[in-house]
Every structure is written in structure tokens, then in C-alpha cells.
């Protein structure tokens, strides 16, 4: 109990950042589930969403800026798929991966050009940036609402996937393009839908994440993106519940390590963790066996 | 109802279909037999628009569907039960069947057809909530056929529906094919089980290395010496 009491602020921070990783990780895992593609540009989409948040508040009131950021990110995700992945639908998978890496650099360089390389300060969103006290630990409201919002969105997503017609089509397409086509499913729309959902969640994640960490720079997507990716691999890439659980575990471990005064090692931990998973259990917590990994 | 003229298909350098001509009449059962690798599956897959055609024409109900996208062909009333069942393994039996009706909107009609499929295959009703991967091979085949029926096809194309099934179930499948046909559905059937296929067929085509080498009424082909030797093992 002492351990929990002493570490409460770190555990809280861990749950919060875990929720933010989860929102990014879902985008990785869903795209992988359908296209068997690791969308390297996903972390940069997250960064662009953050940057858009910085600029949007200078153009419009906050209550419009938030939906604007979300819509902008969704449209961007949709367009990236259309422009960079769809034309390569029948190409070898390696070509699509290279295209994804290209998009990633393109977004980073665009951001570098627009910001001039300066770190931009994320706007303060009233209420969610204010501080509260939970079990004697002082923290921001965003820390508390992140896991709640994350879980709520994940539940909605699971309902969409398991109870609706489009969800059924998504599950079918993720298994077998050709037979799905024979059912009359429009593969391309289902894939677009996947990118739309992934981008939407990344945009929500960016608002929560940058409200906490405030600085947005062109490489700001790299670390959270990588950690979310590790979470997705840990959970078994392709599995949504796996990615969410993986993200929470990584967020919490990372912050407890920080709490022990080993901040410098917290990132190293995540990647050491990735290597161990890949060696010990390459299919992850909930992953299917026998699917080829890229 | 369906006319195939001079159909040619290439897979890279392989010339898989070399000018196939076929005619499927409305309301009939037509079968397509031939050795492994003759191009039977390729014929059906290219009709559905899954494989690009390098030459030739496909005319369905007077309309040229040579380059029509698969989704429109399905909407137009052609359904393919693919070779090797291809049920969606992690979906339930019911979900698989509902995917067959993906393009249909009328819920009441879908429900009616669902009941019809369950009547044809009572096993599927018992296993309505079971995950398709856990069905036996025969049950998966029933599911694949049922799923095709759920699109309410006017032309049902079946690629080896009896593959790997016990003789008694094969007989059941053939009975059901007849039943489906009597309900007004035209059938194009690929079978390794040439005798059974020819017996229920109004007309049949024999394919060899990408060309039709023989055709005629099913009952006639059964007695044809070449067919006997090559496909009936007699
Ligand atoms: N995707 C593909 N790529 C390359 N060649 C292919 C492909 N699909 C089929 N072929 C070749 O085309 C030829 C015809 O194949 P097809 O599957 O149509 O035969 P089939 O008559 O259905 O045989 P079976 O009775 O074994 O199912 C074969 O020589 C096969 O190797
Ligand atoms: Mg075949």
C-alpha cells in the first residue's frame, strides 16, 4: 500500500498518458488489422493535430477550434490514405511501407517549415487544464478525464465494430479482401473508414496529450507515436483491446520508473520492452499467431 | 442469361484462358468440368471481375459486364461461392449469412431468406451463434452456399461445393442445388465429382488447358467415351 501511496502521482500520470497512447495506438492497430501496414505517418498526424490546435485558437474561439482540429485531422488522414496508400493497393507491401515513411517525413518537414523549428505552446483549455486533488495527489483535470474518455471511446468503437453493419464489413475485410468483394463490400470505403476512425482518435489524443505537455514541435509525434506503436505490438497488433491495455501498461510503467528518479531510463525501458516482447511473445497479448510481421 | 465470348485471361506470363465460349441459359443448371489447372476457377473469377480479362466479352442479361466492378455484378444478381469455402472465420454463422445480404436493404426480405437458408441447412440454425472457424468442413461448405443464397442471386456460380465432403453430404448438397434451381435460380457449377454434376446438369462444358474442348447436354456427356475415360474413371 505504501508503494501505491508514494507513487500515486506517478500512477495517475501513467494512467493518463497511457490513455493518450491508447488513442494513438488504436490507429496503428486498426490500420495494421486491415492493410497489414504499419502506418509510420500516424505519429506525425498526431503532431499535426497538435500544431493545428496551436494555430486554430488564433483563428477562432476555442469551442470552434476543438471540433476544427478534429475535422482537420480526420480529413488529413482520409487524404493521406487516398493519395499515398490507395494507389499502391496491389503493390508489394514494402512499397506501401516506404510510402508511409515518405508521408511521415513530409509531414515533419511541412511542420518544420511552418513553425520554423520553434516549439509552439499549446493553448490552455479551461477546465481540463485546471488542477484538482485526487486522493491527496494534486494533478490536472485532464489526467483524470483522459482514462475516462479513452474507455468511453473504446467502448463506442467496440460497439461499432461488433454491432453495426459497417463494423461487420470491417471485420470481414480485415480477413479477406477478395471474398469481401464477392459480398459486395466496397473495400476502399471500409479502408477509408478505418483511417477516419484512427485519425479521429489521434486528434482527441493530441488535445489531451498536448494540454498536459504543452510543447508542440515538428518531432513531437515521434515519441508518443513510437510508444503507442510499442503498445500496439505488445497488445498483439491488430487487436484493439490489446492496444489499449498495452498502452495503459506502458504509460504506468514509464511513470513509475520516472518516480524512482530514473527519468533518463524511462524511454529506454519502453524500447527494451519492445525487444523483449518481440523475442518472448511476438504475437503479443491478444495477437493471432501465424500472421506475418513486417 | 450469361454469355461468355472468346474469354482470355493471363496471369503474368501464364495464358490461363484461351478463348472460352459459354452460354448459360436462364433457369438451367450448367456444369463446367475439367482437370486440375484447366481454368475452371479462373473462368468464374473473371466473370465476377476478380481477375482482369485480357480479351473477350461477358454479356449478362444483354448487358456488357466485361469491365464492370465486382460490386455491381453482385448487385446485378450474380453470386459466386468461392473455391475452398472462404467463410469469414472469426464471424458467427449468422454474421456470415448477413454479409451475403450486404447489398440488400429490405430487412423483412432478408429475414425471410435467412429462414429459407436455415430451412435448407438446419445445421446452420443450430449453430447460428457459433464462430465460423469452429464449424466442421461440411458445415462451412453449407455456410458458404447459404451465404451466396443470401444475396438472392439470379445466377449462382459454385466452385466445387462438394470438395472434401462425405458422400452423404455431397448428395445433400446436390439435392439442394436442384432445389435452389427449382426456386428459379440459374446455376453454374464446377465439380470434380463429374458424374454427379453431369447427372443434374441440363448442359455441360469440358475445359482443357484454357479452352472448351467438349460441350453438350449433361446426360449425353456422361455416355461420351472421352469424358468417361478422362473424368468418370471408367
Ligand atoms: N493467381 C494466380 N497467379 C498465377 N497463376 C494462376 C493464378 N491462379 C491460377 N493460376 C494458374 O491458372 C491456371 C488455371 O487455374 P484455375 O484455378 O482456374 O484451375 P482450376 O480449373 O480451377 O483447377 P482446380 O480443379 O485445381 O481447382 C493454373 O495453371 C494455375 O496455376
Ligand atoms: Mg479451381
Amino acid at each position: 500500500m505504501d508503494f501505491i501511496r508514494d507513487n500515486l502521482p506517478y500512477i495517475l500520470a501513467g494512467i493518463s498518458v497511457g490513455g493518450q497512447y491508447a488513442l494513438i495506438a488504436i490507429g496503428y492497430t486498426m490500420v495494421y488489422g486491415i492493410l497489414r501496414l504499419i502506418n509510420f505517418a500516424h505519429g506525425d498526424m498526431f503532431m499535426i493535430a497538435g500544431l493545428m490546435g496551436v494555430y486554430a485558437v488564433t483563428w477562432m474561439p476555442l469551442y470552434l477550434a476543438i471540433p476544427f482540429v478534429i475535422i482537420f485531422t480526420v480529413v488529413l488522414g482520409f487524404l493521406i490514405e487516398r493519395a499515398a496508400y490507395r494507389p499502391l493497393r496491389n503493390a508489394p507491401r514494402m512499397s506501401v511501407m516506404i510510402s508511409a515513411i515518405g508521408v511521415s517525413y513530409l509531414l515533419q518537414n511541412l511542420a518544420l517549415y511552418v513553425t520554423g523549428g520553434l516549439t509552439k505552446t499549446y493553448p490552455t483549455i479551461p477546465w481540463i487544464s485546471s488542477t484538482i486533488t485526487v486522493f491527496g495527489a494534486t494533478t490536472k483535470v485532464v489526467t483524470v478525464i483522459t482514462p475516462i474518455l479513452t474507455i468511453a471511446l473504446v467502448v463506442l468503437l467496440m460497439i461499432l465494430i461488433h454491432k453495426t453493419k459497417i463494423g461487420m464489413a470491417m471485420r470481414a475485410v480485415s480477413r479477406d479482401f477478395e471474398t469481401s468483394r464477392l459480398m459486395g463490400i466496397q473495400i476502399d470505403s471500409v479502408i477509408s473508414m478505418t483511417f477516419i476512425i484512427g485519425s479521429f482518435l489521434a486528434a482527441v489524443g493530441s488535445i489531451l496529450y498536448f494540454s498536459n505537455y504543452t510543447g508542440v514541435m515538428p518531432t513531437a509525434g515521434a515519441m508518443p507515436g513510437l510508444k503507442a506503436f510499442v503498445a500496439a505490438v505488445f497488445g498483439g497488433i491488430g487487436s484493439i483491446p490489446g492496444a489499449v491495455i498495452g498502452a495503459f501498461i506502458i504509460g504506468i510503467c514509464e511513470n513509475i520508473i520516472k518516480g524512482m528518479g530514473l527519468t533518463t531510463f524511462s524511454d529506454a525501458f519502453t524500447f527494451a520492452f519492445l525487444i523483449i516482447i518481440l523475442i518472448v511473445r511476438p504475437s503479443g497479448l491478444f495477437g493471432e499467431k501465424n500472421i506475418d510481421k513486417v | 442469361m450469361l454469355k461468355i465470348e472468346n474469354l482470355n485471361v493471363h496471369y503474368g506470363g501464364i495464358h490461363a484462358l484461351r478463348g472460352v465460349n459459354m452460354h448459360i441459359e436462364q433457369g438451367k443448371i450448367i456444369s463446367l468440368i475439367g482437370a486440375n489447372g484447366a481454368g475452371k476457377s479462373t473462368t468464374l473469377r473473371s466473370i465476377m471481375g476478380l481477375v482482369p480479362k485480357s480479351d473477350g466479352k461477358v454479356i449478362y442479361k444483354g448487358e456488357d459486364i466485361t469491365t464492370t466492378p465486382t460490386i455491381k455484378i453482385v448487385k446485378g444478381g450474380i453470386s459466386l461461392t468461392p473455391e475452398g469455402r472462404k467463410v469469414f472465420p472469426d464471424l458467427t454463422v449468422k454474421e456470415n449469412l448477413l454479409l451475403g445480404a450486404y447489398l440488400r436493404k429490405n430487412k423483412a426480405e432478408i429475414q425471410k431468406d435467412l429462414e429459407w437458408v436455415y430451412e435448407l441447412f438446419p445445421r446452420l440454425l443450430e449453430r447460428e451463434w457459433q464462430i465460423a472457424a469452429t464449424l466442421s468442413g461440411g458445415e462451412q461448405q453449407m455456410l458458404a452456399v447459404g451465404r451466396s443464397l443470401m444475396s438472392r442471386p439470379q445466377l449462382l456460380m459454385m466452385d466445387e461445393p462438394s470438395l472434401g465432403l462425405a458422400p452423404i453430404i455431397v448428395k445433400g448438397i446436390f439435392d439442394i442445388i436442384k432445389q435452389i434451381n427449382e426456386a428459379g435460380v440459374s446455376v453454374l457449377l464446377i465439380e470434380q465429382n463429374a458424374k454427379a454434376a453431369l447427372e443434374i446438369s441440363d448442359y455441360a462444358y469440358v475445359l482443357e488447358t484454357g479452352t472448351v474442348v467438349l460441350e453438350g447436354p449433361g446426360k449425353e456427356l456422361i455416355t461420351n467415351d472421352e469424358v468417361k475415360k478422362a473424368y468418370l474413371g471408367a
Side-chain angles (χ1 to χ4, degrees):
Chain A
M1 275 330 277
D2 278 355
F3 176 80
I4 292 184
R5 202 187 52 234
D6 294 345
N7 281 288
L8 188 62
Y10 300 107
I11 293 172
L12 278 179
I15 292 174
S16 168
V17 78
Q20 290 146 13
Y21 292 162
L23 292 173
I24 312 173
I26 292 171
Y28 278 113
T29 217
M30 283 181 76
V31 166
Y32 185 87
I34 273 197
L35 287 183
R36 301 291 182 268
L37 163 74
I38 293 164
N39 181 13
F40 289 102
H42 193 59
D44 304 291
M45 289 258 315
F46 169 82
M47 174 273 297
I48 296 280
L51 215 49
M52 256 305 137
V54 173
Y55 290 113
V57 290
T58 65
W59 302 332
M60 58 188 86
L62 191 68
Y63 66 90
L64 287 179
I66 291 176
F68 172 80
V69 167
I70 292 177
I71 291 166
F72 177 89
T73 314
V74 163
V75 172
L76 182 67
F78 173 80
L79 291 178
I80 287 175
E81 192 277 321
R82 281 300 276 261
Y85 305 148
R86 186 173 301 184
L88 297 171
R89 196 74 87 222
N90 298 316
R93 211 181 311 159
M94 192 51 81
S95 316
V96 193
M97 293 239 301
I98 291 166
S99 183
I101 294 170
V103 173
S104 164
Y105 278 110
L106 177 69
L107 294 180
Q108 279 184 32
N109 281 290
L110 272 178
L112 191 63
Y113 177 76
V114 172
T115 60
L118 299 172
T119 302
K120 298 283 176 182
T121 309
Y122 204 73
T124 314
I125 301 173
W127 188 62
I128 75 163
S129 300
S130 51
T131 51
I132 52 160
T133 307
V134 189
F135 305 122
T138 308
T139 184
K140 284 187 183 176
V141 173
V142 63
T143 312
V144 181
I145 62 166
T146 298
I148 298 171
L149 188 60
T150 304
I151 301 294
L153 288 172
V154 170
V155 169
L156 281 179
L157 181 59
M158 295 314 273
I159 292 173
L160 175 85
I161 288 177
H162 289 278
K163 301 281 176 226
T164 67
K165 196 169 164 180
I166 176 82
M168 197 159 77
M170 289 169 85
R171 283 180 290 145
V173 172
S174 74
R175 272 315 184 127
D176 185 343
F177 275 21
E178 194 171 289
T179 311
S180 299
R181 241 181 227 128
L182 286 176
M183 303 295 108
I185 298 171
Q186 199 100 54
I187 308 285
D188 285 338
S189 336
V190 170
I191 292 171
S192 289
M193 185 70 186
T194 310
F195 276 83
I196 286 171
I197 294 172
S199 311
F200 168 79
L201 295 175
V204 174
S206 86
I207 294 169
L208 299 169
Y209 182 88
F210 290 113
S211 291
N212 223 358
Y213 295 88
T214 64
V216 190
M217 55 196 149
T219 51
M223 259 310 153
L226 262 173
K227 288 179 181 161
F229 172 65
V230 174
V233 172
F234 176 51
I237 193 149
S239 155
I240 293 171
V244 173
I245 292 169
F248 278 113
I249 292 176
I250 286 175
I252 292 167
C253 290
E254 202 178 83
N255 275 277
I256 288 178
I257 290 172
K258 281 186 191 158
M260 296 192 295
L262 302 170
T263 307
T264 15
F265 293 107
S266 72
D267 290 344
F269 157 78
T270 312
F271 300 112
F273 192 57
L274 174 65
I275 293 167
I276 293 168
I277 303 158
L278 288 177
I279 293 169
V280 178
R281 198 177 155 77
S283 57
L285 280 182
F286 298 89
E288 320 149 22
K289 300 251 156 60
N290 310 326
I291 51 175
D292 45 333
K293 297 270 184 299
V294 189
Chain B
M1 161 173 242
L2 184 79
K3 233 184 164 142
I4 299 160
E5 292 169 5
N6 187 33
L7 185 61
N8 276 271
V9 169
H10 286 83
Y11 290 112
I14 302 172
H15 197 172
L17 295 188
R18 306 158 183 254
V20 171
N21 292 292
M22 284 170 62
H23 183 204
I24 287 101
E25 263 181 81
Q26 171 102 39
K28 299 280 191 286
I29 301 181
I30 310 293
S31 57
L32 180 56
I33 59 175
N36 294 122
K40 305 180 297 295
S41 302
T42 303
T43 306
L44 300 200
R45 286 156 43 80
S46 68
I47 294 172
M48 290 309 290
L50 294 174
V51 188
K53 310 161 185 75
S54 31
D55 197 10
K57 257 191 189 168
V58 180
I59 315 281
Y60 175 62
K61 296 205 273 192
E63 218 178 293
D64 189 336
I65 58 161
T66 313
T67 54
T68 306
T70 308
I71 179 169
K72 291 231 177 82
I73 295 175
V74 176
K75 222 178 222 160
I78 307 184
S79 177
L80 170 65
T81 314
E83 185 170 23
R85 299 163 196 153
K86 300 285 170 64
V87 296
F88 295 105
D90 40 12
L91 271 60
T92 64
V93 167
K94 188 172 180 185
E95 284 174 331
N96 267 280
L97 291 173
L98 290 177
L99 274 174
Y102 189 75
L103 289 174
R104 297 172 58 189
K105 299 267 169 335
N106 189 329
K107 289 232 166 83
E109 299 252 302
I110 295 175
Q111 186 58 34
K112 228 172 70 195
D113 284 354
L114 197 60
E115 280 159 23
W116 174 49
V117 169
Y118 285 149
E119 216 173 283
L120 288 174
F121 303 106
R123 288 257 202 135
L124 295 183
L125 179 58
E126 287 165 30
R127 288 167 169 70
E128 195 173 13
W129 300 107
Q130 197 168 320
I131 300 295
T134 63
L135 294 178
S136 79
E139 289 161 355
Q140 289 187 15
Q141 192 57 265
M142 295 173 197
L143 181 55
V145 175
R147 187 180 60 182
S148 278
L149 290 175
M150 287 301 293
S151 68
R152 179 73 73 85
Q154 293 158 42
L155 171 61
L156 176 61
M157 307 197 296
M158 292 195 259
D159 197 339
E160 304 199 23
S162 71
L163 189 74
L165 302 186
I168 176 93
I169 305 202
V170 172
K171 188 174 176 303
I173 293 261
F174 277 95
D175 286 343
I176 282 166
I177 293 172
K178 271 191 274 182
Q179 231 173 301
I180 294 166
N181 178 247
E182 275 153 24
V185 181
S186 314
V187 176
L188 176 54
L189 179 65
I190 294 185
E191 262 304 328
Q192 292 294 344
N193 196 336
K195 184 159 185 289
L198 292 176
E199 264 167 10
I200 65 164
S201 299
D202 297 295
Y203 202 80
Y205 294 86
V206 179
L207 208 58
E208 226 166 72
T209 53
T211 34
V212 174
V213 290
L214 203 62
E215 60 180 279
K219 302 247 155 55
E220 262 170 46
L221 288 192
I222 293 187
T223 56
N224 180 297
D225 284 341
E226 282 169 62
V227 174
K228 265 189 187 164
K229 223 167 57 200
Y231 306 106
L232 303 178

